[in-house]
Amino acid sequence: MNNSNFNPNEEIEAMKKEGVIVKNTAEAIQGAKDIIAEQISDEPRYRKYTKDMIYKTGIITSSVKKKNPDEDGIYEMYYDYNEKVQYIASHRILAMNRAEKEKVLNVSITIDEEKFENYIYNGVMRKRESNLNDFIMICVKDAFKRLIYPSVEREVRSELTEKAQEQALKVFSINLEKLLLQAPLKDRYVLGVDPAFRTGCKLAAIDPTGKVLDINKVFITLPKADYTKDEKILLSMIQKYRIEIIAIGNGTASRETESFIAEFIKKNALNLQYVIVSEAGASVYSASAIAKEEFPTYQVEERSAVSIARRLQDPLAELVKIEPKAISVGQYQHDMNQKKLTEQLDFVVEKVVNQVGVNINTASPSLLQYVSGLSMTLAKNIVKYREENGKFTSRDQIKKVHKLGDKTYELAVGFLRILSGNERFDETKKTKGYALDWFLQQKIEENADYDALFIFDADNIVHPDFLKRMNDAYISGYNVAQGFRDCKNPKDSWISSCYSLFYFIQNFFFSQARTNIGLSASINGTGFMVAKSVIKKYGFDTITLTEDIEFSLKNIAKGRKLGWAT
C-alpha cells in the first residue's frame, strides 16, 4: 500500500503474462475492489459493530408507496413514521411488517452511514498512510453498502420481529388464560341465539351438560307488521326446555336481537335473563371439521348458535375447539408462526386444566383430550356415555366408560371434576374437616384390620419411635392423642425460628403441663392419633377452619381425655 511507484497498467500486463484473463484496466480494478470489499465484509468485528450501533442509534423508518391498497387508511399513522430501534414497541414492528407485506409501506432502518464507514476504514488502515487511501475508502463504502449493511439490517429486523412475536405470544397466553378461566354457568338450561338480518336468528336449546335439545329459527331483527309466529317459537322453546338464560352473540344484528329479547321477556313476564356473549371465532368453528363431525346434519349458523350457548355454559370446554388465530385475544395472530401459536394454545389449555380440572359433565371431547391419560377416542367415549346415561354422579361411573382402563382412570381421575355428585362434592362443604371426614370414612369402609389412624402433613418427618409411643398411649386408654411436634429447620429463617418457639411452648407449657396435672392435651394440626371406633361413631365432625381445635373441644365435651405422647 505504501508503494508510490504502483502502476495499474504494468500490473495488468504482468497478470496477463501469468494467465489471468482481464479485458482492460477498469475490469481489473473493479475485480480488485470486489475482492477487497468481500474481505472487509467477512471481518466479524465490523458486522458486530454495525449490529450493535443499529440497536443503539438506528431509526426504523416507514413511508407509504405511491400505489397501495390501503384505501381505508388502516396504516395511515405509518405513512411517514420513524422511531429509534431501541425504543420501538413490539406491536408497531408487527404492524409495519404486515403493511410491508401488503405492499402499503416501504420499511427500512436509517443510520449515519459516514460514521460506520469511518470506523471500518480506520480498522482497515490502522492509521497507516498510503497513496491508495481513496481507493480503500471506495472499497470500504462498497463493502458496507452492498454487503455488510443489507445483511445486518435483515438480521436486526428479523430479531425485532422474533422478539415482537414472542411478546405477542406472551400477550396471547395471558389473555387466553383469563378467557378460559372465566367462571362457568353451572346447571342451567341455555338458549343460544346467533343474530342475523336476512337469514334470521338461529336458536339452539341446550341442557346443563351441553347436549342440544332443539334447533329453530326466528326473524326478529327486520321491521315487519307481525312477530306473533316468532314469539310463539321462542315461548314454546323456553317453556318446553325450561330455559333459564338466553345467550345472544355479539355479532351482526346483536343490538336488534337484544332489544327484541328484552321486550319479549318483559311482555311475557318471564323469569329468565339474557346475556351478550362474544362470538369471536364461532363462525370459524361452525365450518370446521370438529363441528361437522359433532353436528353433521346442522347448518353452519345452527352450529354457531350451539357454540354461543355453550360458551356461556363452559367457556373452557368450548373455546378449545376454535383455531387459535380466530379467538381474537392477541396481537396480529394471523401473522404469527401458526405452529408456535397452536403449541402455545395447547400449553395454556393444559396449564388451565391442571389448575382447575374439567367438569366431566359439561366438557367437550376437544377439552377432555387435554386431561392426563385421555385420548380423543376416550374423550368421545366419555361424552357418549354421558349422553346415553345422564350426568356422572360418582367417580366409579367413570370406570364404566368404554375402553377406559384402570391405568387411564388412575392418570385422569384427579383432573375430572364431578360437581354436585353423590360423593364428597357438596359445594357448601369445602373445609379441611369435611375432606378429612369423607376420607377417613372411606378408609374405614375399605379396611377394618387396624385400631387407630394417624394424621400427618405431607412434608412431616416422623421420628422412628413415633408409632411405638402412640401405641403406648392407645394401650394406656387414650382414643385420641397428640404427638410431640418440633421444627426441622429452626435456624433457616426468623419464620422457622418462630415456629420452633411456638411448638416448644405448645409442647411443654400446654400439653405436657396439662397432662402432668391430669387434664387433656390438645390436637394441634398434625402428628395425632384417632381411634377407629371414634371415627366410625362420630366421624371427623368439624366445620371450621381451625378443625384441630374444634375436634379437641368436641372430644373433651364428650368426656374423652386427650393424650400426649413424647
Side-chain angles (χ1 to χ4, degrees), residues 10 170 204 222 283 310 327 337 340 442 451 462 530 534 557:
E10 291 179 2
K170 191 175 180 180
L222 292 173
S283 58
R310 286 178 170 177
I327 296 178
N337 181 314
K340 284 186 178 180
Q442 296 293 314
D451 298 310
V462 182
V530 184
V534 173

Side-chain angles (χ1 to χ4, degrees), residues 88 95 131 144 150 243 259 276 302 317 341 404 430 448 553 556-557:
I88 192 163
N131 62 337
F144 182 73
I243 299 299
S259 178
I276 306 299
E302 291 170 342
L341 196 59
L404 200 152
K430 296 183 178 180
L553 294 175
I556 292 170

Side-chain angles (χ1 to χ4, degrees), residues 73-119:
I74 295 171
Y75 303 107
E76 188 174 358
M77 73 168 286
Y78 298 107
Y79 284 179
D80 183 18
Y81 185 84
N82 58 78
E83 184 176 358
K84 290 193 75 170
V85 169
Q86 62 179 328
Y87 298 132
I88 192 163
S90 61
H91 65 273
R92 286 200 278 275
I93 291 289
L94 296 174
M96 286 182 182
N97 287 352
R98 179 182 287 186
E100 186 179 35
K101 187 178 180 182
E102 294 177 6
K103 298 182 179 178
V104 176
L105 299 177
N106 291 313
V107 182
S108 61
I109 298 175
T110 58
I111 56 167
D112 181 357
E113 291 184 4
E114 187 177 348
K115 182 178 180 180
F116 286 79
E117 290 166 356
N118 287 336
Y119 174 83

Side-chain angles (χ1 to χ4, degrees), residues 295-486:
F295 305 111
T297 61
Y298 288 5
Q299 295 179 3
V300 171
E301 297 83 1
E302 291 170 342
R303 295 176 193 142
S304 183
V306 175
S307 179
I308 289 167
R310 286 178 170 177
R311 285 185 189 204
L312 177 64
Q313 205 173 52
D314 193 344
L316 177 60
E318 196 62 22
L319 289 170
V320 294
K321 301 176 185 177
I322 300 169
E323 211 176 345
K325 62 185 178 186
I327 296 178
S328 302
V329 291
Q331 299 173 327
Y332 300 91
Q333 290 164 214
H334 296 270
D335 300 333
M336 302 291 294
N337 181 314
Q338 295 305 301
K339 183 181 177 183
K340 284 186 178 180
L341 196 59
T342 303
E343 288 173 354
Q344 196 67 19
L345 173 70
D346 292 342
F347 171 75
V348 172
V349 174
E350 287 175 11
K351 179 183 175 183
V352 170
V353 168
N354 285 328
Q355 278 182 326
V356 301
V358 297
N359 184 346
I360 194 171
N361 285 319
T362 60
S364 62
S366 300
L367 176 60
L368 286 167
Q369 68 173 329
Y370 287 101
V371 174
S372 174
L374 297 185
S375 62
M376 178 56 86
T377 301
L378 284 174
K380 289 178 180 177
N381 289 347
I382 289 172
V383 174
K384 184 179 179 182
Y385 181 93
R386 186 175 74 201
E387 290 176 349
E388 292 175 353
N389 300 279
K391 294 170 66 173
F392 288 89
T393 56
S394 73
R395 286 179 169 174
D396 286 337
Q397 288 177 297
I398 300 173
K399 297 177 181 178
K400 298 177 183 178
V401 173
H402 183 54
K403 292 185 178 180
L404 200 152
D406 292 340
K407 188 64 178 177
T408 302
Y409 174 83
E410 183 181 331
L411 289 170
V413 71
F415 304 104
L416 299 173
R417 302 179 65 196
I418 303 175
L419 304 179
S420 304
N422 295 336
E423 296 180 1
R424 202 198 63 77
F425 298 102
D426 186 335
E427 290 295 286
T428 64
K429 300 178 179 180
K430 296 183 178 180
T431 66
K432 179 180 174 182
Y434 283 120
L436 277 171
D437 183 53
W438 177 83
F439 174 76
L440 293 174
Q441 293 291 351
Q442 296 293 314
K443 289 292 126 186
I444 286 173
E445 291 176 8
E446 288 176 10
N447 188 350
D449 191 22
Y450 54 84
D451 298 310
L453 303 98
F454 298 93
I455 311 298
F456 298 104
D457 286 343
D459 61 346
N460 287 163
I461 296 175
V462 182
H463 192 279
D465 290 337
F466 181 86
L467 294 179
K468 179 181 181 302
R469 301 290 176 86
M470 280 295 188
N471 188 60
D472 291 342
Y474 179 76
I475 293 171
S476 300
Y478 290 109
N479 285 326
V480 181
Q482 173 66 50
F484 182 91
R485 294 176 72 192
D486 199 359

Side-chain angles (χ1 to χ4, degrees), residues 173-232:
S173 301
I174 293 168
N175 292 345
L176 180 62
E177 185 173 344
K178 289 179 180 178
L179 187 66
L180 296 177
L181 287 174
Q182 287 181 113
L185 194 69
K186 303 172 188 174
D187 302 323
R188 297 285 190 95
Y189 286 85
V190 181
L191 180 68
V193 182
D194 182 21
F197 286 116
R198 182 180 56 83
T199 57
C201 298
K202 275 60 67 180
L203 309 175
I206 65 172
D207 72 4
T209 67
K211 182 179 179 182
V212 181
L213 303 173
D214 196 7
I215 294 288
N216 217 316
K217 183 191 296 186
V218 290
F219 293 85
I220 58 177
T221 53
L222 292 173
K224 61 181 181 179
D226 188 12
Y227 293 99
T228 305
K229 182 181 177 182
D230 303 301
E231 289 178 347
K232 280 184 178 179

